[in-house]
Amino acid sequence: MHLQGKTALVTGSTSGIGLGIAKALAAAGAAIIVNGFGDADTIEAERAALAVLNGGKAVYDGADLTKPEAIAEMFARADKDLGGVDILVNNAGMQFVSPVEDFPPEKWDMIIALNLTASFHTIRHAVPGMRKKGWGRIIATASAHSLVASPFKSAYVTAKHGLAGLTKTVALEVADAGITVNCISPGYVWTPLVENQIPDTMKARKMTREQVINDVLLAGQPTKKFVTVEQVAAVAAFLTRDEAENITGANLSVDGGWTAG
Ligand code: NAD
C-alpha cells in the first residue's frame, strides 16, 4: 500500500486500460478520481468496486476532456475535496480510421483535443500542487503509435507523437521538483477502443474481421498476443513507486516487440 494518502486522477477510467490502471493504483492505497463516459449504473458499480480496494476513497467526475473549462472544474474540485492530484494518469483517448483525404475535419479536431490537448490542460493544472508537495507522478497512456505510424490513423498517430513530445518536455521542466513524467506505449490491447475500430478497418483495407485481427492488429506484434490491461496497469503502478524516481522522460513500450523491428 505504497500510495496511502495520495490521490490519483485517471482520465478515461470507466473502461479498458484506464479502469485497469485505476484498480492497480487503488490496490496500492491511492484515492481515485474516476473519469470518463458510460452508463451511470455501470460507472457507479466500478466506482464502488474501486472504493472496496482502497478503503472507500473513490469519486467520479464526468468531465468532458475536450472542454478545457470542464478540466479546470475537475481540478478545482480535486483541490477542494481531496487535497489535489498527486498522480495524474492521462489515459483517455479515442480512435478514428480513415484515409487522410476522407478524414472528417471534426474527427481530427476531436482526437487532437482529447488525445493531446487535454493532457496539456491536466498537466498545467496538476504541476503547481505537485511542486508544492515536492512529489508527483504524471503518466500518459501513449501508444506504439507515439513511435511509429500505421496508415489511416493520421489524427491518432499525430496526437500520440505529440503526447510523447509533451512528456519529454515536461519531464525536463519538473525534473528537480520530485515529479516524474513518463508515457507507456502499449501495442494492441483488447479493449472497446480496438473492438470498435475493426469495422472501419475492414472497410478501409477491404478485409474480413479475422484478416484485420491477424494481418493488421497482430501482424506487427512479434509475440502474436494482445497486450493485457493488467500488464499496462502494472507498469503504471511501478512508475508511482520510490524505486522509479529516476525514470523520467521515458517512453516505455509494452508492445510485444512491435517497435523493436
Ligand atoms: P476505451 O475505449 O476502452 O476507453 C477510453 C476511455 O476514454 C473511456 O473511459 C471513455 O469514456 C473515455 N473518454 C472518451 N472520450 C472522453 C472525453 N471526451 N472525456 C473524458 N473521457 C473520455 O479505450 P482503451 O483501449 O482503454 O484506451 C485507453 C488509452 O489507451 C487511449 O489513450 C488509447 O489511445 C490508448 N491505447 C490503447 C491501445 C489499445 O490497443 N487498446 C493501444 C495503445 C494505446
Side-chain angles (χ1 to χ4, degrees), residues 75 122-132 138 170 174 179:
F75 272 85
T122 56
I123 288 172
R124 74 185 176 83
H125 287 299
V127 164
M130 291 178 178
R131 275 194 193 279
K132 261 190 219 143
I138 299 174
V170 180
V174 300
I179 306 168

Side-chain angles (χ1 to χ4, degrees), residues 10 28 37 48 50 62 75 125 139 142 146-148 186 191 216 233:
V10 185
F37 299 155
L50 288 166
F75 272 85
H125 287 299
I139 300 165
S146 74
L147 295 162
V148 296
T191 68
V216 179

